[in-house]
Amino acid sequence: MRQLLVALCGVALVGGVAAGVARLLPAGEDPAMARVYVARSLVTLKNGNWSAARRNAQQAIASDPDWGLAHAVLARAFLALGDGVGAEAELDRARAAGFDANRAHQLYAHAWLLQGDPARAIAEAGKTPARYGAYAMRVAARALAAQGQVADAQDALRQVLAVDPRNSFAWGDLARVRFSAGDVRAAGDAAARAVAIDPANLEAQTLRGELVRSQYGLVAALPWFEAVLQRDAFYHPALIEYAATLGDAGRYADMLDATRRALAARPGSAQAYYLQAVMAARAGRNELARGLLARTAGQIDGLPGALLLGGTLDYAAGGYEQAIGKWRELVGRQPMNVTARRLLGAALLRSGDARGALDVLRPVALRADADSYTLTLVARAFERTGERDWAARFLDRAAMPQAGGSTPFGAEDSLPVLQSVAAASPGDPVAALGYVRGLVDKGDRTGAVSAAKSLAARMPGAPAAWAALGDTLAAGGRFAEAAGAYRRAADLRFDEAIMLRLVDASDRAGDRAGAANTLALYLSQNPQSIAALRLSAHWMIAAGQWSEAIERLEGLRARIGDRDATLLAELAAAYGGDGDDAVAVRYARAANDLAPMNPGTADAYGWALYGAGKPAAAAEILQKAVAIAPVPALRWHLAQAYADAGAKAAARAQIALAMADPRFGDRAAAKAVLAAL
């Protein structure tokens, strides 16, 4: 600010002679105007228009290329915008032009941190004089967090705030560190403090948008990013987060506009090209997506999203080895990523490595809620290894409806090892969660619930802790209590996984209204969620809302294609309920052709034939469904087909078997049919 005042005063003093001096300077050089532009740069930097600060500093340098302070101010603008490479280059120019090197240590440290070199940043920050000590300690704290030393990073930032409690950027850094550690509530509190102190802190404002997106959903987050962009329309980090949020919300035209603005703000932006590649891939334009991803020039190759997308594009183009390499790296980084394991397993099987596929798919296939595609992949892998008995078992499971609920991944280490790791790192939520999973694996549900409650009490702001508690309670059948834990998790992070858990637990606890409200709220914020749309369509069918279910399911079919047997079966049910039996039969036949040994698709096909007035043909198909899965709902369908086909004795037998099962709900209708037989 002192430099700003000097510059402003200097402008007034030299204004009268500027024109005469300008005639003696090379074309374009004007030291007086350089001071004006530096003053403007400092003002716009303070007011939160950091892109304007950069432009003003660049104009100052154009007016006086040899003024070291102008280069240093431009470096400061680059740092605010997250451009470490540009900042380092300008700092070098500032020093060459005579800028005091002792005033630049904290700035160099910040630049190297942005370039991904935290060790060098910490070393350079240590050389900073006391005058800039708070800035240097902030940089060092962020570098420590980048190295995984989260507790030390928070301690360093608390020291800064103890001296200067109104340091907005220190509060923003603390919020970011807490968010990366999973403590969403504490991160939100710190970010709110940062913004309240300085509304022009764009970093903190952008983080608040990210936190709102995590806690409440995509739509709720958009105004926060828009508020940042009202201050600085070309603030690259906010543009990237805004574009990603728009894309996930299905607003692709707006997403494209935001990525173009990001490229204008930072030419060659790898993040912007990546988001455009995602958009192209979603539209089925794989070659365009590959070209856009190539423009990232390897800058984001190690990010999970880039690995997933790059592998998908390689696989689609027949580059199985390249896809395997990317997905193997992704699974190594995210061992609980079910999608990545499924993709890697499929690629390994396609490349001839059946044993490798089995190793990758094993943790998913052993889950009670394993999907039919994964189970089929495992069965094919066993066929390749000659173990046809195991192949048959997994094919049988693939043909059956899901029999179990969702559970966490198992722990690979022994329980004593997990316990010792958790005890040695009491502040590490990952270690604590590993111990809870170990207790669940060993069948110690009481111990698991106790450990999960302890974790939630120690880390009440961490959604993972409450989700773990909900999982352990649900595993013991305590669904009402589990729903309460999931609700606490959803208050902190309302993502798809938490939503599905909360809906399921609420429904199983008898709170269908609460489950429906949760699903509706999630869809209002995440209108493109396939899982939520499918679940809502299923409930529409159960409620007899046929036309609404058809509209929703047809929208899903347009997005995911015609190879999803369950989706086609639900479409058959919806069209049949709406009275369009011919279309219902076509969809049901297609579903049965895709999964001929699945009792659900067989039942859908048989029931569609029954609705079309073909009870004898329906009974033939429904017999197969009941043979595969003799559950009361399928027996009841078969009984009605038998009754209309004239097979009264067989109908009575199926109704008796259905009514003997306490799970059967259509007792009144079954009694009426019995009375008429």
Side-chain angles (χ1 to χ4, degrees):
M1 292 302 298
R2 183 164 59 252
Q3 290 287 345
L4 169 60
L5 291 173
V6 171
L8 290 173
C9 293
V11 170
L13 291 172
V14 303
V17 297
V21 173
R23 295 190 188 98
L24 305 177
L25 295 173
E29 294 190 19
D30 185 348
M33 286 307 299
R35 278 143 185 80
V36 172
Y37 285 128
V38 163
R40 290 176 180 173
S41 180
L42 292 169
V43 170
T44 48
L45 193 65
K46 182 175 178 58
N47 290 341
N49 191 344
W50 297 345
S51 297
R54 176 184 58 193
R55 288 194 300 272
N56 283 315
Q58 288 169 335
Q59 287 177 312
I61 292 169
S63 297
D64 190 351
D66 297 325
W67 190 21
L69 179 61
H71 288 284
V73 170
L74 179 55
R76 185 65 188 85
F78 275 133
L79 292 172
L81 293 168
D83 185 351
V85 174
E88 182 182 4
E90 287 305 319
L91 288 170
D92 290 343
R93 295 185 184 103
R95 290 177 62 183
F99 186 74
D100 184 2
N102 207 38
R103 298 170 59 188
H105 293 298
Q106 74 283 359
L107 302 177
Y108 272 110
H110 194 175
W112 291 331
L113 175 63
L114 291 174
Q115 293 177 49
D117 194 346
R120 192 180 183 191
I122 291 171
E124 188 67 19
K127 303 174 184 177
T128 304
R131 179 181 177 186
Y132 311 108
Y135 190 157
M137 189 169 287
R138 282 181 43 231
V139 173
R142 291 172 58 179
L144 288 169
Q147 293 179 328
Q149 302 176 55
V150 175
D152 293 339
Q154 295 193 57
D155 287 343
L157 290 168
R158 290 190 192 101
Q159 291 179 43
V160 175
L161 291 167
V163 176
D164 182 8
R166 292 191 58 78
N167 189 322
S168 172
F169 287 91
W171 280 112
D173 292 337
L174 182 60
R176 178 66 68 182
V177 171
R178 287 174 171 174
F179 189 32
S180 64
D183 195 342
V184 176
R185 179 172 297 159
D189 292 342
R193 290 283 296 272
V195 173
I197 293 168
D198 183 5
N201 184 342
L202 301 188
E203 287 186 43
Q205 286 275 27
T206 302
L207 177 58
R208 289 209 74 184
E210 295 176 55
L211 287 162
V212 168
R213 183 175 60 197
S214 172
Q215 288 182 270
Y216 303 110
L218 301 169
V219 177
L222 291 172
W224 291 88
F225 298 127
E226 289 163 356
V228 176
L229 296 172
Q230 284 178 357
R231 283 187 175 270
D232 185 345
F234 291 94
Y235 181 52
H236 183 265
L239 283 168
I240 292 300
E241 296 297 338
Y242 186 48
T245 308
L246 288 166
D248 288 342
R251 291 172 52 180
Y252 296 116
D254 293 334
M255 177 190 183
L256 181 59
D257 177 67
T259 58
R260 286 172 173 168
R261 286 163 60 189
L263 285 166
R266 187 177 296 177
S269 167
Q271 296 98 320
Y273 282 132
Y274 164 70
L275 290 175
Q276 290 183 351
V278 170
M279 192 163 27
R282 287 176 179 173
R285 301 180 63 182
N286 288 351
E287 285 307 311
L288 175 59
R290 289 172 67 87
L292 289 166
L293 201 58
R295 292 191 184 185
T296 64
Q299 296 178 56
I300 58 171
D301 284 356
L303 295 180
L307 290 169
L308 183 63
L309 176 60
T312 302
L313 295 173
D314 287 337
Y315 190 84
Y320 304 123
E321 291 303 320
Q322 295 92 324
I324 288 169
K326 291 183 174 69
W327 288 336
R328 195 186 296 280
E329 182 178 350
L330 178 56
V331 170
R333 294 185 180 194
Q334 299 180 341
M336 298 181 188
N337 188 326
V338 175
T339 299
R341 283 186 177 273
R342 188 185 298 126
L343 290 170
L344 177 57
L348 287 167
L349 186 60
R350 184 71 176 263
S351 70
D353 186 1
R355 282 295 174 194
L358 289 172
D359 289 341
V360 168
L361 295 171
R362 178 179 177 276
V364 183
L366 293 180
R367 291 164 61 96
D369 64 339
D371 61 283
S372 60
Y373 179 69
T374 299
L375 295 171
T376 302
L377 284 175
V378 170
R380 300 307 178 207
F382 275 124
E383 287 178 348
R384 297 275 184 91
T385 63
E387 298 168 276
R388 296 194 173 276
D389 52 340
W390 281 102
R393 294 181 191 181
F394 279 94
L395 284 173
D396 288 344
R397 281 189 62 197
M400 296 292 288
Q402 292 181 359
S406 177
T407 58
F409 267 113
E412 296 184 0
D413 293 323
S414 66
L415 188 59
V417 170
L418 294 169
Q419 186 174 16
S420 64
V421 170
S425 307
D428 185 352
V430 176
L433 287 171
Y435 178 52
V436 171
R437 291 191 187 101
L439 290 168
V440 172
D441 286 350
K442 298 300 180 184
D444 185 359
R445 291 178 178 171
T446 301
V449 169
S450 177
K453 284 182 176 178
S454 176
L455 176 62
R458 292 200 315 271
M459 303 188 67
W466 291 107
L469 176 57
D471 289 344
T472 57
L473 291 167
R478 298 160 63 177
F479 295 110
E481 295 174 78
Y486 291 139
R487 201 168 290 113
R488 294 288 296 271
D491 287 341
L492 299 168
R493 186 182 66 214
F494 195 37
D495 62 9
E496 187 175 278
I498 295 297
M499 178 275 294
L500 291 172
R501 285 178 166 96
L502 178 54
V503 168
D504 182 59
S506 299
D507 195 22
R508 288 173 182 262
D511 183 13
R512 173 53 72 93
N517 287 337
T518 298
L519 179 59
L521 177 60
Y522 185 81
L523 270 173
S524 71
Q525 292 295 319
N526 304 273
Q528 295 294 301
S529 169
I530 290 176
L533 289 169
R534 294 185 74 142
L535 182 57
S536 67
H538 182 75
W539 284 8
M540 288 173 180
I541 291 172
Q545 299 171 337
W546 310 116
S547 59
E548 294 90 340
I550 289 170
E551 182 180 359
R552 185 147 291 181
L553 290 167
E554 286 289 10
L556 283 170
R557 187 175 71 87
R559 288 174 61 189
I560 64 179
D562 296 323
R563 302 294 296 174
D564 188 309
T566 302
L567 176 63
L568 297 179
E570 297 231 286
L571 272 165
Y575 275 108
D578 203 40
D580 196 338
D581 294 319
V583 175
V585 169
R586 286 201 297 273
Y587 273 123
R589 183 187 298 116
N592 191 59
D593 289 344
L594 286 171
M597 294 304 294
N598 186 312
T601 58
D603 176 64
Y605 186 26
W607 194 242
L609 289 169
Y610 177 75
K614 300 177 181 179
E620 183 178 348
I621 300 296
L622 290 168
Q623 286 171 6
K624 181 181 74 170
V626 170
I628 298 171
V631 297
L634 301 191
R635 289 188 184 281
W636 171 229
H637 283 176
L638 178 58
Q640 292 174 79
Y642 276 147
D644 282 13
K648 297 182 179 181
R652 284 193 291 268
Q654 290 298 324
I655 291 175
L657 290 169
M659 294 186 67
D661 193 315
R663 297 173 294 176
F664 183 52
D666 292 330
R667 295 182 180 276
K671 289 178 181 178
V673 171
L674 272 177
L677 289 174

